[in-house]
Amino acid sequence: MTRRSAASICPYCAVGCGYYLEVEEGRPVGIRYMPEHPTCEGALCPKGNAVLDVLNSRDRLRYPLKRVGEGWERISWKEALDLVAKGLSESLRDHGPASLGFLASSRCNNEENYIFAKMARILGSPNVDNCARLCHAPSVVGLGGSLGTSAMTNNIADLADSKCIFAIGTNLAEAHPVVSKWVQRARDRGAKVVVADPRVTSTSWMADLHLRLRPGTDMDLLRGMMRAVIDFGLVDRRFVAERTTGFEELSRSLAGWSVDEAAKACGVPAADITRAARLYAGSSASALLYSMGITQHVCGTENVRACADLALISGQVGRPGAGIMPMRGQNNVQGTCDVGAIAEFYPGYRSSTDPASIDIFKEAWGVPDLPLGPGLTSTEMMEAAVDGSLKAMYIIGEDPAVCDPNTGKTRKALEGLEFLVVQEIFMTRTAEMADIVLPAAAWAEKDGSYTSMERRVQWIDRAIAPPGKAREGLSIICEVADRLGLQLGRPDAPSVLEEIRRTIPAYGGMTRERIGEIGGLLWPCPSPDHPGTEILHIEGFPTPDGRAKIAVVRGRPPAEETSPEYPILLTTGRIVLHYNNAAMTSRSFPLLRREGDLHVEMNREEASALGISEDDPVVVSTRRGEVEAKARLTDRVIPGVAFMPFHFNDANLITSDALDPISKIPEYKVAACRISAKSEEVLRRR
């Protein structure tokens, strides 16, 4: 029996770990580690080690399906694609292009997302978005506004050369486990690690200093650290003078703020805030890592700008071991934004509000007109569906019925659509609500490129065939476009990559052959002879004046405060064994056996006062509804705070949908809640 190996990329978080898929007689039968990969060096997290369970799952969608009453009927591809085109074209004819919404997928490759966004905009709809709206839209807007680009400034392996690592709002040891290897390597070489997180986590265990701030007070902490940097003469005056603008305005805005006030606001001792500032700004090379604990707030964009401000005034950008590192969540969320599947931008981050962008792509795509943006974001699409102005949606590889905040409202929005088509690999909750379900190929079943959070663009070839009648997503999208009369043709992934190279300067040198090598290339890579860029901003910033912008930031309090009825602040996040809505990881029995139910971490003393014991069933209630979970009693959270992973049992029914007014990200990280023993809550409702 012949066995062959095919290089592949992990389909989970955005670290972009490589491995080899072992294939026999067309079936995936094993994985082999890839020690030569520059980022993972052969390591995989528990999810990566379980990828075969996803590919071999009996639950995979295999045939196109049409809703018939409350059930499903298997149909041919011709009928399915005809119905999709009919549903979209009827909405276009009756209600205009603004009635159409397109939700791209950060689990799909660059080529699919590029063509998907292109199709939407040629149809006249500016309403294109992806899951970055729910995780790193503040990075796209905030970091892009400060530095000229929203991407991670340094590669992941560069962390080994850091002298100080400041991780705020990121439990990277669970959300991005392979990154913790590089943090530990730096620590072994003498680096100091500072972690800001309300909880004790696997990441905080690595810390020399753990800042246990109250949820929603990140801005207070960051402003306190900046105040300390200024007070103790740690500002890099030369860097600030030569490479930034806005420092004097920031300094004046901090004049009425003190470290003591910051300490009172965020619950962290003033001495610890000062120590953190000294460690970070006083180091010869400090890296700042952040994730959704920073972004998922009503002031998420300002939080990101505050992170950038701290790095800039300390001169910790544009050097080895330094930099700002947004820890993105999905395997291709960076690439999906790069190729323009986002409301604010056409490909290459050309502003969708700029007529010059429209002219560039009218010529590139050979069309007479394209819509100005920004279009509706994913959260705004749901609002528009509720009010009846959005009539039809085409969703690929995303599950808003589970992943959106306040999912009861999202499900109402999806139910109110006149037409919904979902392209997926499993029957997700969103797919269950669709009129047509299109079975798609998974990552190892198609050709294409993916861009990791460190800007690493990697190509994988199809290793196995999709199950049943499932098809590659690019083929599906192009056939829908054909039926809509768009004449996009039926290009394969390599030819779409060539178009991406022509329209996105940072990808100009990304040929299939070059990114097909192990480790690929990091953008910007503007020409075929360019080696790629390991560290950004060494000589300047891609802004009109070549300088980074230091912004005045003040933040705002969380949208919800505790009350006698809802006395506990609930925050959410990831756990190491699962991913997003668990549609993929729940197909792995070993992962599901270890973590398969919703739990809520409660402070031990607080739970005792409420009469709640370990593993008791409890009801967690917010102003939006309630969910059942098991209580886990711990000292990892302080009294007045609870933590819940968002992977199971409708956790997002109760999260807050209050939005950051700039980036429109929801405030998942803070919600006022009540936790009651299940029997007590039943009596309460009676």
Side-chain angles (χ1 to χ4, degrees):
M1 190 175 296
T2 303
R3 175 179 286 210
R4 64 182 179 87
S5 294
S8 196
I9 304 168
C10 182
Y12 289 111
C13 82
V15 174
C17 297
Y19 64 94
Y20 294 101
L21 194 66
E22 299 287 291
V23 180
E24 285 183 0
E25 296 185 344
R27 293 186 62 251
V29 296
I31 59 172
R32 183 163 57 85
Y33 299 132
M34 188 182 284
E36 67 270 35
H37 192 279
T39 304
C40 69
E41 295 185 323
L44 291 176
C45 76
K47 298 184 291 293
N49 275 293
V51 292
L52 290 184
D53 295 336
V54 177
L55 295 172
N56 291 324
S57 174
R58 295 179 180 178
D59 296 338
R60 288 288 303 278
L61 289 168
R62 287 169 164 78
Y63 305 96
L65 299 171
K66 175 176 70 174
R67 176 173 297 285
V68 178
E70 297 300 312
W72 298 96
E73 177 184 321
R74 185 191 300 182
I75 58 177
S76 68
W77 269 108
K78 181 182 183 306
E79 182 179 359
L81 296 169
D82 287 346
L83 287 170
V84 170
K86 181 174 182 287
L88 296 176
S89 60
E90 286 181 350
S91 184
L92 187 65
R93 180 195 66 208
D94 296 341
H95 308 290
S99 70
L100 302 177
F102 296 83
L103 191 53
S105 175
S106 293
R107 290 190 292 126
C108 292
N109 59 43
N110 290 322
E111 291 71 27
E112 292 170 277
N113 285 307
Y114 178 89
I115 288 295
F116 188 68
K118 178 179 178 179
M119 176 182 73
R121 287 177 166 130
I122 292 177
L123 281 173
S125 175
N127 305 327
V128 185
D129 210 13
N130 76 86
C131 77
R133 188 63 51 195
L134 307 181
C135 60
H136 273 280
S139 296
V140 175
V141 178
L143 202 59
S146 294
L147 306 185
T149 180
S150 60
M152 187 178 280
T153 60
N154 297 42
N155 64 65
I156 292 169
D158 187 63
L159 283 169
D161 293 324
S162 298
K163 306 306 178 188
C164 176
I165 294 171
F166 177 35
I168 179 168
T170 176
N171 182 12
L172 59 93
E174 294 202 61
H176 306 91
V178 169
V179 176
S180 63
K181 176 186 71 171
W182 296 102
V183 175
Q184 190 61 52
R185 190 170 296 181
R187 197 167 185 269
D188 291 343
R189 295 176 178 178
K192 298 297 184 182
V193 177
V194 180
V195 173
D197 195 302
R199 301 167 62 225
V200 174
T201 67
S202 302
T203 303
S204 71
W205 293 340
M206 295 189 290
D208 297 281
L209 176 61
H210 180 196
L211 308 175
R212 254 181 120 173
L213 71 168
R214 281 193 287 268
T217 62
D218 307 89
M219 179 64 76
D220 299 309
L221 173 65
L222 290 164
R223 279 166 51 87
M225 289 180 67
M226 285 188 275
R227 179 74 263 171
V229 169
I230 294 171
D231 288 347
F232 290 98
L234 296 171
V235 174
D236 187 331
R237 296 286 177 178
R238 181 174 178 179
F239 182 92
V240 166
E242 294 179 355
R243 302 194 57 192
T244 73
T245 62
F247 173 73
E248 295 303 327
E249 291 84 350
L250 174 69
S251 183
R252 284 194 294 270
S253 76
L254 293 170
W257 183 247
S258 70
V259 175
D260 287 337
E261 287 174 298
K264 183 179 179 181
C266 65
V268 174
D272 286 350
I273 296 176
T274 298
R275 185 184 173 205
R278 286 184 178 275
L279 288 172
Y280 177 78
S283 153
S284 61
S286 292
L288 192 158
L289 285 60
Y290 73 85
S291 191
M292 297 189 298
I294 280 290
T295 60
Q296 289 180 333
H297 294 276
V298 291
C299 59
T301 303
E302 283 203 276
N303 282 347
V304 169
R305 288 173 176 160
C307 289
D309 284 353
L310 178 61
L312 291 169
I313 68 172
S314 306
Q316 299 289 5
V317 180
R319 291 184 286 107
I324 305 173
M325 307 181 82
M327 309 292 286
R328 285 176 162 87
Q330 294 209 40
N331 62 324
N332 199 38
V333 68
Q334 180 68 59
T336 303
C337 296
D338 292 348
V339 300
I342 188 167
E344 295 93 339
F345 298 103
Y346 274 75
Y349 299 99
R350 296 186 187 275
S351 172
S352 65
T353 63
D354 185 356
S357 299
I358 305 303
D359 291 339
I360 287 169
F361 285 97
K362 282 195 297 186
E363 181 177 354
W365 293 344
V367 294
D369 199 18
L370 289 169
L372 276 170
L376 299 177
T377 66
S378 64
T379 47
E380 290 172 330
M381 288 185 212
M382 298 307 162
E383 296 283 357
V386 169
D387 71 25
S389 58
L390 195 79
K391 303 293 185 180
M393 286 192 74
Y394 188 168
I395 298 175
I396 62 174
E398 294 296 340
D399 192 10
V402 171
C403 296
D404 275 14
N406 190 8
T407 50
K409 184 173 73 175
T410 296
R411 291 170 193 174
K412 179 181 176 182
L414 295 173
E415 287 170 354
L417 291 169
E418 292 181 358
F419 182 71
L420 173 61
V421 54
V422 174
Q423 191 168 304
E424 257 293 358
I425 64 173
F426 291 113
M427 183 60 82
T428 61
R429 183 71 66 89
T430 301
E432 289 172 353
M433 303 179 73
D435 298 288
I436 303 294
V437 175
L438 305 176
W443 75 99
E445 299 159 355
K446 58 190 176 184
D447 299 328
S449 65
Y450 298 81
T451 307
S452 76
M453 65 183 180
E454 60 178 343
R455 299 173 281 108
R456 188 178 301 279
V457 185
Q458 303 177 90
W459 180 276
I460 55 174
D461 289 315
R462 170 172 159 163
I464 55 176
K469 298 294 185 182
R471 289 188 182 180
E472 294 192 23
L474 182 60
S475 169
I476 299 170
I477 297 163
C478 288
E479 289 206 39
V480 170
D482 283 350
R483 284 166 167 78
L484 292 168
L486 301 187
Q487 298 180 338
L488 297 184
R490 297 184 185 179
D492 56 16
S495 63
V496 178
L497 176 63
E498 288 303 304
E499 184 172 331
I500 290 171
R501 290 179 58 212
R502 292 193 299 271
T503 56
I504 303 177
Y507 280 65
M510 301 280 187
T511 65
R512 177 183 176 181
E513 292 72 28
R514 298 187 76 199
I515 64 174
E517 297 291 327
I518 299 301
L521 292 166
L522 281 72
W523 67 253
C525 179
S527 62
D529 59 350
H530 193 283
T533 306
E534 301 288 329
I535 300 174
L536 296 177
H537 316 314
I538 290 176
E539 297 180 355
F541 294 90
T543 58
D545 61 1
R547 292 170 175 256
K549 178 176 176 53
I550 295 172
V552 173
V553 288
R554 293 189 174 87
R556 66 184 67 197
E560 291 189 358
E561 296 181 352
T562 55
S563 65
E565 186 178 6
Y566 299 105
I568 297 173
L569 284 177
L570 176 68
T571 189
T572 64
R574 291 187 171 100
I575 56 177
V576 68
L577 296 177
H578 287 285
Y579 173 80
N580 286 14
N581 61 346
M584 293 164 65
T585 49
S586 65
R587 267 68 190 190
S588 174
F589 177 70
L591 299 180
L592 203 60
R593 179 178 58 189
R594 290 174 62 190
E595 286 281 5
D597 294 303
L598 184 64
H599 68 263
V600 58
E601 287 184 5
M602 301 180 63
N603 179 268
R604 198 180 306 277
E605 293 182 6
E606 192 164 47
S608 177
L610 293 171
I612 294 171
S613 301
E614 180 72 15
D615 285 336
D616 276 359
V618 297
V619 177
V620 186
S621 308
T622 70
R623 293 174 175 88
R624 288 154 295 282
E626 63 184 40
V627 294
E628 295 183 9
K630 282 188 177 181
R632 289 196 182 169
L633 310 190
T634 180
D635 296 322
R636 295 175 66 174
V637 292
I638 60 176
V641 175
F643 169 81
M644 193 164 63
F646 51 60
H647 308 293
F648 301 111
N649 298 31
D650 294 330
N652 279 318
L653 275 170
I654 62 173
T655 49
S656 173
D657 57 352
L659 299 181
D660 174 350
I662 303 171
S663 64
K664 309 298 175 66
I665 193 171
E667 188 165 58
Y668 288 93
K669 285 294 178 278
V670 185
C673 79
R674 176 180 67 246
I675 303 176
S676 309
K678 185 177 178 183
S679 56
E680 177 187 334
E681 190 65 27
V682 170
L683 290 173
R684 185 196 302 272
R685 290 199 295 269
R686 288 177 180 172

